[in-house]
Amino acid sequence: MAITLVNPTGLPEIDAYRQVSVASGSRLVFLAGQVAWDADGVTVGEGDLAAQVEQCYVNVATALAGVGASLGDVAKLTVYVVDWTPDKMPLLMDGIARAGKRLGVTSAPPATLIGVAALDVPEHLVEVEATAVLD
C-alpha cells in the first residue's frame, strides 16, 4: 500500500479519520465528488443523510475499484454536506459506519468536512470526493 495513516503526537485523535496520510506511490487518482446515486442515477435515501453518506462511500469504493484501487489507497477525503450543523454529526458517522460494514473496511484517511448551501440537485444532501495514491 502506498498510504500510511498517522495521528502525530500533539494533535487530537479523531475516531472518524487520521490527521495525516503519507503517500509513497507514484500514481495519483482523483475522484469526482460522489453523490447518493445508484448505478441507474436514482438518488438513494432521499431526505436521509446517513443513507446518502453510506451510498456516497459505496460509490467512492466503486469508482476506485474501477481503476484498480481501494479505500485503503485513499490519501484524503473531502465531504460536502448541505446546511451542515454539528448536530448532524451522528448521522454522518452512522452513514460512514454503515458503509464501512457494508464494504468490510475501516479506512480512516484524513478528511475535511465543508458545509455548503446546496449541491447539484436539491435531493442530494452530501457529496464525497477522494484523492488516492497507487504504487
Side-chain angles (χ1 to χ4, degrees):
M1 277 222 194
I3 303 294
T4 302
L5 302 177
V6 180
N7 271 326
T9 302
L11 293 176
E13 288 193 24
I14 309 295
D15 289 338
Y17 61 88
R18 302 300 171 264
Q19 295 284 0
V20 176
S21 68
V22 179
S24 60
S26 59
R27 294 188 315 146
L28 297 177
V29 179
F30 299 94
L31 269 60
Q34 297 298 305
V35 294
W37 278 329
D38 65 12
D40 296 320
V42 175
T43 298
V44 172
E46 191 166 337
D48 183 340
L49 180 61
Q52 288 200 16
V53 169
E54 178 182 2
Q55 185 64 43
C56 288
Y57 274 75
V58 167
N59 290 349
V60 166
T62 300
L64 289 167
V67 295
S70 72
L71 288 170
D73 298 309
V74 172
K76 175 77 168 65
L77 292 170
T78 304
V79 180
Y80 302 90
V81 181
V82 174
D83 296 327
W84 174 257
T85 55
D87 64 304
K88 294 180 180 177
M89 186 61 80
L91 293 170
L92 179 77
M93 297 306 296
D94 181 45
I96 292 170
R98 287 165 38 180
K101 184 175 181 180
R102 183 171 164 186
L103 297 166
V105 298
T106 57
S107 178
T112 298
L113 188 147
I114 300 172
V116 296
L119 291 170
D120 59 329
V121 295
E123 55 270 13
H124 289 157
L125 305 175
V126 63
E127 183 168 332
V128 179
E129 67 180 22
T131 301
V133 180
L134 301 176
D135 287 326

